[in-house]
Amino acid sequence: MKTEALKKLLESMTLAEKIGQLVQWNYAALAMTDAEVTGPETLQLSADAMKYFGSVLNFSSADEMIRLQKQYLAGQEHPVPLLFMMDVIHGYRTAFPIPLAQAGSFDPDLVKECARAASAEAAAGGVHLTFTPMVDHVRDPRWGRVMESCGEDPYLSGIMGAAQVEGFRGKDLTDKGTLAVCVKHYAGYGAPEGGRDYNQAELSEHVLREWYLPAYKACLDAGADMIMPSFNSLNGLPSVANPWLMNQVLRDEWRFEGAVISDYNALDELITQGVAENRQHAAVQAMNCGCDIDMVSGCYASDLEKAVREGLISEDQINTAAMRVLKVKNDLGLFEDPFRGASADPETVNRLAREHRPLAEKAAIASAVLLKNTGVLPFDKAAKRIAVIGPFADSREIVGAWCCNCDTRETVTVAEGIRTLLPDAEVTVVTGCSARIGDTDGSMIGEAAHAAENADCVILCVGEEMECSGEGRSRASISLPGMQAELVRRVAGANPNTAVVLFGGRPLDLTPVEKIAPAMLEMWMPGTEGGTAAAKLLFGDAEPCGKLAMSFPKSAGQLPLFYARSNTGRPKQAPEDEYQPYCSNYMDCGNLPLYSFGHGLTYTEFRYDELRSEKTELRAGEDLNVTVRLTNTGKRTGTETVQLYINDKFSSVVTPVQKLAAFGRITLAPGESSEISLTVSHERMKLWNFAGQSVIEPGAFEISAGYADHLLLTQTFTVS
Ligand code: NOJ
């Protein structure tokens, strides 16, 4: 529909119809089904108040969508199609690795491909818009939602978030296999105090501008259609009622013209948070902060019309908001085709899911991170007796906490992956103890150790259950739950040819495991083909190449912990494991993480030979071209993610000691040397100064290759 026609449609609508566009209901509330509900159940309004609405979330099939769409359109005087939304976070039917894992591939093209595949499946399943990407900046793995994020570096998050936006949206939203996207959770949701979900975040403007806001902006620049303010209060105000965030930054500075949707029931929660006296007050505040859609609280449905009549909200505000919603519908081509490629035949999604399995395997391989290897990996494929031990040895519950319509029965387990890869080997599976928090039953450990003793190699699959990460899943301790640490101790003690394979949605405290495990492979929640990927990696049919998008602490007491820290006036000079009085360090723990952001081994070795920058003197605003020469000094072909870090030597504000500036991947055969060229954008040289500007300050900078806290080659350049 042309914009003029859209305007005419809006003009023809009554106030109640326009407000209806701003109301979103849960499918379950409308259809009285048991479809997934991702928040507290909200009040049921009268049939009158429920008459008009504009969008729906949490339905489970194309069939449901088609039925409701038909029913709704048939009952309306101005039939405006409903917009169907869902959390397609890391897959729809096919589960790809969780976003935190995918970010560690450092491969935006792959991330885009996974999003593309997920959108094709979801669109066939009747979804129009996904609540993705989630690019909350995260520094504390006690917060269970780190699994949905792209990790602790805003530059990487921005790139991965933008790749998701491009993957989901495709070239043109009128293409039926695409989805519109909603970036979330704006802003600071990743910094809840104590890592406890929904908790307040207190962040200075400086920290917000440098670390927390850029990734959302990158996703909006990539074309995101919608943005979701976060649940948490930020510096004293919940985001949906925070005029600085919503009006000043989002609308005035960033000029975002797309739609804003509240998070689940967030308007009503303004009352619980103590900043709204009642539902009308909540609705008025959110409307005044440019929140276009009220997700399920019903505050707009029950109170907005009255607020207009009382002059608290103008009809112009309603028009602007309704128009934004209509625009998303129009961009999706819903006026021409309200069913938009939804296929009531489940075979369509099944067929797509079958086609996407190789991609799921590729992504799981690329996202896995080899944390440690004393040389036991890769295992010899001639192994005759293989013990696969632990709660995740034969588990299908490795797809990840937020893969909406995937069928875990289709997941390949680690034991299955190994049996397929090595059909002649004798594979013994001992599921060992459970991964449940608080479980004290270690009765299977003896059997597990016995199986390990009698095996040529042992694959010990431990970690966290899927339900341990995701929304509302904060932990105070991030060590291996239950008796698993003891399981590792006994099994690794029984057979030194043991690799620990880790599953879960967050960086864990692996200090006790690292001391005894000869090798550790982090698979995260790898998705549908996780077992195939693990088997291939463990037996050398695939090369590990993933890097950490989030640091693993030595202890939860170090949290929040991140690589891009600022220097103190009293930095620690002593070795990591020594305490230095009157310096910034702990008496009982080192400062550094166990594994830093950017860490990840391969089955070969890379020597960094040379780092050359094209220029040593730049004018502010110029980019810097850098070349890094590497040699594969090992015996296998491998892929290295070359990372460049920047440090501003002297500036008007304290800057981080290292900040990711560019990255790229290079594959080299044994003995091969080659160069990779990377561009450090001038944007990476900027800082947020105390006058509230983003500027490049003249002076010396360092550029280094390596990874966080392990910088190998450094060069200096100056900016005038
Ligand atoms: C609440 C979550 O915070 C958000 O990420 C999600 O998109 C909505 N629920 C809808 O499920």
Side-chain angles (χ1 to χ4, degrees), residues 261-282:
I261 185 167
S262 79
D263 204 342
Y264 200 104
N265 199 37
L267 267 55
D268 195 57
E269 288 171 23
L270 291 176
I271 303 171
T272 327
Q273 282 166 300
V275 295
E277 269 185 294
N278 50 40
R279 291 167 61 78
Q280 174 167 310
H281 191 201

Side-chain angles (χ1 to χ4, degrees), residues 9 41 109 121 153 156 282 294 308 337 482 534 551 589 607 712:
L9 169 66
E41 261 311 351
D109 291 339
E121 291 180 17
D153 183 83
L156 180 66
D294 166 11
V308 175
D337 177 4
S551 305
C589 182
R607 190 181 65 224
L712 302 167

